[in-house]
Structure formats: C-alpha cells, structure tokens
Amino acid sequence: MPPVIWHSLSLQQIIQETPVTNRYIFKVSEDTKLNHIPGQFLTCDLPIGEKRLQRWRSYSIANRNQGDREVEFCISYKKDGPASEYFFSKIQTGDQIKAKGPEGSFILPSQEGLDLILICTGTGLVPFRAMLQQIMLDGHHYKTIELIFGCRNPEDILYRSEWESWKNQIPKFHATICLSRTNEFPIADFPGIQFRNSYVHEAYLDLLNNNIISREHSLFMLCGWQEMIDEAIVKLYLEQRIPREKIKFELFG
C-alpha cells in the first residue's frame, strides 16, 4: 500500500458561485504534484474538532490537472455544519489546510463508443466539470455525452459561464438542466441547453424510453445526494434492467 501523502493547501481566492455555494481556489504550497485524475477527491483535515472523524472532510476536485498546483473545491453551505461554518465564516485568503490524496475511482471510462450519461444534482456537478475540462482539451471517443443536472431554481445553477463552451467545444455533447421548483427557464443565458421542469430521473428515463441512448452501450455515472442515487439505482437497475456494472456513482452529504 503506497504511503499517505499530505499536502499543504494555501487559499488563494473565494468566488461566490450561487447564493449558497462558493468556489475555493487553493495552491499546493510545496513542490509536490497532485497528479489527480478528473473525478478524484482530496480529504482535508480541517480545524473543526479534536478527533479525526470530526476534522476530515472529502471534496471532489473541481478542475483538471493543469500542472500549476491549483486545486479548486466547490462547497455548498449547510446550516450548523462545522465544515460549512468554517468555509463560509472563518477561512480567509492565505490560510492553509492539510489534505491527503488524490483518491477515488470515479473517473472517465476508457471504453470507446459508449453513450456516457452524467447525472448529478447540486455540487454533484463538480467532478463532471473537471472531466469536461479534460475532454475539451483532449477530445473523447464516446458515441455521445449526455449531461443531466438538477437543482431547484435558476439561481442554483453552477458554472453558469461554462455551459455554452461545453456545448460548443465538445463534440456530440448534449445537456439538460432540470429545475424542480419552476418552469421559468433562463434559456437566453444557456444557448443550446435544454431545460425542463422536473427531477433528473425523468430526463434520463426519456432518453432510454425514446431510444436516444443505447441500453447495451451506455454507462451511467451518478453524483449527488444519497436520496437521488438510491432512486436512480432503483429506476435504472431494478426497473429498466440496466446491468449493475453500467452504473457508477459517487455520494456526498
């Protein structure tokens, strides 16, 4: 088993992404490289308790490996959550935290010709954003890429400035934003992006039921809250008979 490597991360910038979500841009202080793969995460040791289980929090890396030692997290506020209170009320530019990793196998598949279905809610978009950055640089060998993102209202949409570039610069890419609380869609701000008033489940079921994606050659990657993941597995595996090996997921919260 390889030795655990701890990195010192220095906070460079805080960017408010939505009313309840911030982006935190860190720099790896030492000369070591993370060499992370899009989709992996770091485990941070935060000054929020005495015991390890109180202090340790894992966050997906929101950016591809650019060789500049920059690491970005995207974190939503949770009332009375110790980590949330630290990130939203205490941490300041220049502060340092320790983090170990990268870790995780929730990464882009190597198989060619897949319909790649990326399904996420809230900050579950984070690992997919890093993957899409990498795809924009290197291209891809998939048949199609379908991104399905769910949130409540337009103000909750993450990375608003990046959706158009994903649409324009990634071949065979399609995206759907599902808003659960409104049917008023900011279409002008997201050219080429489909909107619907629904949860994410209705969107991927429509793709299957209308034969837009292949049951035999699709890979479903899910990232979000436990409730969404559980419901998706029921619908895909138990109801739609999608083989379990064609469903990958990453939980948070």
Side-chain angles (χ1 to χ4, degrees), residues 63-97:
N63 59 301
R64 69 173 180 85
N65 187 352
Q66 304 177 83
D68 59 1
R69 296 186 292 117
E70 185 174 285
V71 176
E72 181 176 331
F73 301 139
C74 187
I75 301 172
S76 291
Y77 178 74
K78 182 179 180 181
K79 183 176 173 57
D80 297 326
S84 288
E85 296 297 340
Y86 172 72
F87 275 109
F88 281 81
S89 302
K90 298 179 180 179
I91 196 170
Q92 297 181 7
T93 302
D95 287 352
Q96 293 192 353
I97 60 174

Side-chain angles (χ1 to χ4, degrees), residues 79-202:
K79 183 176 173 57
D80 297 326
S84 288
E85 296 297 340
Y86 172 72
F87 275 109
F88 281 81
S89 302
K90 298 179 180 179
I91 196 170
Q92 297 181 7
T93 302
D95 287 352
Q96 293 192 353
I97 60 174
K98 295 289 185 181
K100 71 182 181 74
E103 300 174 273
S105 59
F106 189 73
I107 60 177
L108 286 168
S110 59
Q111 301 99 303
E112 297 184 6
L114 288 174
D115 288 319
L116 182 62
I117 321 302
L118 311 176
I119 304 166
C120 54
T121 51
T123 52
L125 179 58
V126 168
F128 295 144
R129 188 246 193 168
M131 294 178 191
L132 293 173
Q133 286 185 343
Q134 194 67 49
I135 287 171
M136 288 174 66
L137 180 68
D138 295 337
H140 70 84
H141 47 252
Y142 308 118
K143 183 180 178 183
T144 59
I145 298 176
E146 298 278 352
L147 173 63
I148 301 172
F149 169 71
C151 61
R152 294 178 177 178
N153 295 295
E155 59 266 27
D156 302 318
I157 300 173
L158 299 177
Y159 306 116
R160 296 178 68 96
S161 64
E162 300 181 31
W163 288 79
E164 186 175 3
S165 61
W166 298 340
K167 173 65 178 175
N168 292 338
Q169 298 181 37
I170 299 176
K172 302 177 183 178
F173 173 86
H174 308 93
T176 301
I177 297 176
C178 301
L179 301 179
S180 62
R181 298 291 179 87
T182 182
N183 57 8
E184 296 182 3
F185 307 139
I187 296 174
D189 297 334
F190 296 85
I193 306 300
Q194 180 181 352
F195 279 84
R196 57 187 298 160
N197 174 217
S198 73
Y199 294 103
V200 295
H201 309 291
E202 287 88 339

Side-chain angles (χ1 to χ4, degrees), residues 25-84:
I25 300 174
F26 290 88
K27 202 84 164 184
V28 181
S29 299
E30 60 268 28
D31 292 333
T32 58
K33 293 183 179 180
L34 289 176
N35 292 323
H36 66 275
I37 301 170
Q40 292 189 309
F41 62 88
L42 292 177
T43 298
C44 300
D45 189 348
L46 305 176
I48 57 175
E50 296 298 325
K51 298 180 180 180
R52 185 182 70 180
L53 290 179
Q54 296 172 323
R55 303 191 316 266
W56 285 18
R57 297 291 189 279
S58 295
Y59 298 103
S60 292
I61 302 170
N63 59 301
R64 69 173 180 85
N65 187 352
Q66 304 177 83
D68 59 1
R69 296 186 292 117
E70 185 174 285
V71 176
E72 181 176 331
F73 301 139
C74 187
I75 301 172
S76 291
Y77 178 74
K78 182 179 180 181
K79 183 176 173 57
D80 297 326
S84 288

